[in-house]
Amino acid sequence: MKQFLGKFFLRIMGWKLDISVPVHSISKSVLVAAPHTTNWDFFYAVFSFWAMGIPMKFFIKDSWTKPWYGFLIKAVGGIGINRSERSNKVDFAVNLLRNDENLYLLNTPEGSRAWAEKWKTGFYFIADRAGVPILLAYCDYEKKIAGIGKVIYLENKTQEEVLTEIEAFYKDIKGKFPENYNPKIF
């Protein structure tokens, strides 16, 4: 049902789906989504992942999962996190990936929809410690295409090499508000 809804909503909004990466041959990954310049990114991303049949989860403030509408947030993949607690979220994410047979853990490393000086790198450490690849997801508002455009395997690569590869991938992708995206991610 989700796959049908994802395809339906993308079609009526005039978006195309990029399914060039063989995502179904990858059972677990850290899913990076950028550029993140508007709340609309969330909807296009969810519809795209549904259309591709990807079992995506994401972290969100637990205040979004506790009210009456919290069941909706959880239904689309939200995992409530209490950000005021001093817990290690990287360890938590690594354990999720290690203990689930089929999981794509979504991350928006810019940390905000506004211009960010550099990305937060927790996604890299999660992927490295869990031994999973990083998938690069995007919404290109100029071309009206959303999907997953690249797989990055971390074996035999330094953090700088991985970040350089990611930066090169996203350099030509246009967010809804391009002025809010810093193409220099580190």
Side-chain angles (χ1 to χ4, degrees):
M1 182 64 163
K2 284 182 179 179
Q3 201 163 17
F4 169 78
L5 288 174
K7 289 178 181 179
F8 174 75
F9 285 119
L10 287 173
R11 182 172 291 136
I12 65 169
M13 291 183 286
W15 281 68
K16 293 181 182 150
L17 187 62
D18 174 1
I19 53 173
S20 58
V21 171
V23 294
H24 295 292
S25 65
I26 299 167
S27 62
K28 302 180 192 187
S29 74
V30 171
L31 189 57
V32 170
H36 184 36
T37 64
T38 176
N39 286 331
W40 282 104
D41 297 338
F42 173 78
F43 298 103
Y44 291 121
V46 168
F47 295 148
S48 297
F49 301 144
W50 284 359
M52 288 185 268
I54 292 176
M56 173 270 307
K57 299 271 186 192
F58 58 94
F59 294 144
I60 191 166
K61 294 177 197 172
D62 66 346
S63 61
W64 282 85
T65 60
K66 291 181 178 177
W68 66 268
Y69 54 82
F71 76 96
L72 289 172
I73 301 296
K74 291 175 185 176
V76 296
I79 300 171
I81 297 288
N82 184 343
R83 296 187 344 177
S84 65
E85 288 181 3
R86 290 196 145 294
S87 59
N88 190 325
K89 290 157 189 71
V90 170
D91 286 342
F92 181 70
V94 168
N95 286 332
L96 281 175
L97 283 162
R98 285 182 179 160
N99 295 321
D100 198 315
E101 290 300 315
N102 199 18
L103 177 63
Y104 292 69
L105 192 56
L106 180 63
N107 194 293
T108 53
E110 293 167 87
S112 169
R113 290 165 304 282
W115 191 90
E117 186 174 329
K118 63 181 184 172
W119 281 13
K120 296 177 181 185
T121 55
F123 73 93
Y124 170 83
F125 295 105
I126 293 167
D128 186 47
R129 289 184 43 207
V132 299
I134 297 171
L135 297 178
L136 303 183
Y138 68 96
C139 292
D140 189 323
Y141 284 79
E142 187 175 86
K143 298 175 183 167
K144 291 186 91 171
I145 299 175
I148 297 174
K150 186 172 179 108
V151 181
I152 298 178
Y153 294 96
L154 304 184
E155 295 84 21
N156 303 315
K157 292 181 185 174
T158 66
Q159 179 182 357
E160 186 174 329
E161 289 171 329
V162 170
L163 293 177
T164 300
E165 199 172 337
I166 292 170
E167 191 174 278
F169 173 79
Y170 285 112
K171 73 178 170 96
D172 294 326
I173 295 173
K174 302 291 184 228
K176 184 163 180 69
F177 301 107
E179 67 277 7
N180 290 348
Y181 180 66
N182 181 3
K184 188 75 178 146
I185 69 173
F186 68 105

